[in-house]
Amino acid sequence: MAASASPSASVPERRGIPAASFVEDVQIYLSQIGLDVNSALAFLQERLQQYRVVEMKLLAQQRDLQAKIPDIEKCLDVVATLQAKKGTGEALTADFEVSEGIYSRAHVEDTDSVCLWLGANVMLEYSREEAMALLQKNLENAKASLEVLVADLQFLRDQVTITQVTIARVYNWDVHQRRLQQAATTTSES
């Protein structure tokens, strides 16, 4: 059974990424989509380019999440350390970054609250318990998002491979057809 990837046909997708179909029989594929070899190759090259653009976006999102997760884990460690020091009367000594490359040392006395940057220049004060819950939830969400991104990237790489194979099959089929025509022309002239 021949599978096709028509520009107008609805194809299954994963989170907006259209699935590529493996082409078993190029001649049937070309007749189903109603394109000549050059148009089919142009369509497939365009689809391949679209996959590359999506891949770059997903890779950027993956890098962002991979940078975000250690930051969240560091925040969790700090809040856990504050929690562990609670009631001991012992101050926590920490070095923190004031600006890029400039650090300062702070002595944090027993405190019941912490301030967390939420982004967009917004900082809110939370109890240690609320901060731990929020950070844990953010960490779980970031890890889950990373898993989905990794699965999306794998799906995308599979579609790129299928499309590249299809391009090669269509091109090789065209070369083979031209050779057959040339051989038939040479034979009929003899």
Side-chain angles (χ1 to χ4, degrees):
M1 176 156 101
S4 70
S6 167
S8 60
S10 65
V11 292
E13 59 180 45
R14 175 184 168 91
R15 294 180 15 99
I17 303 168
S21 298
F22 179 75
V23 175
E24 288 182 37
D25 187 322
V26 175
Q27 191 164 2
I28 292 173
Y29 168 73
L30 291 174
S31 66
Q32 284 178 345
I33 63 173
L35 297 175
D36 63 9
V37 171
N38 291 332
S39 298
L41 286 171
F43 165 72
L44 291 168
Q45 289 290 350
E46 182 180 331
R47 176 61 59 93
L48 190 59
Q49 186 61 31
Q50 291 169 348
Y51 286 146
R52 296 291 185 203
V53 169
V54 172
E55 182 180 32
M56 288 187 329
K57 289 178 183 177
L58 291 178
L59 287 171
Q61 290 175 2
Q62 183 183 28
R63 280 189 305 272
D64 290 346
L65 278 173
Q66 287 173 330
K68 185 179 184 179
I69 289 172
D71 289 344
I72 296 171
E73 290 172 337
K74 286 179 194 174
C75 288
L76 269 169
D77 289 344
V78 169
V79 174
T81 302
L82 285 172
Q83 190 82 337
K85 298 264 185 188
K86 180 182 179 182
T88 64
E90 182 182 341
L92 173 68
T93 302
D95 293 328
F96 65 95
E97 191 171 15
V98 178
S99 71
E100 192 172 327
I102 300 173
Y103 292 86
S104 181
R105 181 160 286 164
H107 299 285
V108 182
E109 301 296 329
D110 194 14
T111 181
D112 291 327
S113 64
V114 295
C115 294
L116 297 176
W117 283 107
L118 300 181
N121 293 326
V122 175
M123 180 185 275
L124 287 179
E125 185 175 357
Y126 293 93
S127 69
R128 286 189 310 259
E129 293 79 16
E130 289 174 327
M132 286 290 287
L134 177 66
L135 289 169
Q136 193 62 45
K137 179 182 167 205
N138 288 352
L139 181 62
E140 290 168 6
N141 289 343
K143 286 182 176 180
S145 294
L146 185 59
E147 285 181 26
V148 170
L149 269 175
V150 167
D152 287 349
L153 280 165
Q154 184 57 50
F155 175 79
L156 186 60
R157 287 182 183 120
D158 290 346
Q159 303 324 298
V160 166
T161 301
I162 291 168
T163 303
Q164 289 172 331
V165 167
T166 300
I167 289 170
R169 290 177 65 92
V170 170
Y171 179 79
N172 290 338
W173 178 85
D174 185 45
V175 168
H176 180 71
Q177 294 303 310
R178 288 177 194 217
R179 285 184 182 157
L180 288 176
Q181 287 175 353
Q182 186 179 22
T185 303
T186 306
T187 306
S188 65
E189 291 176 356
S190 304

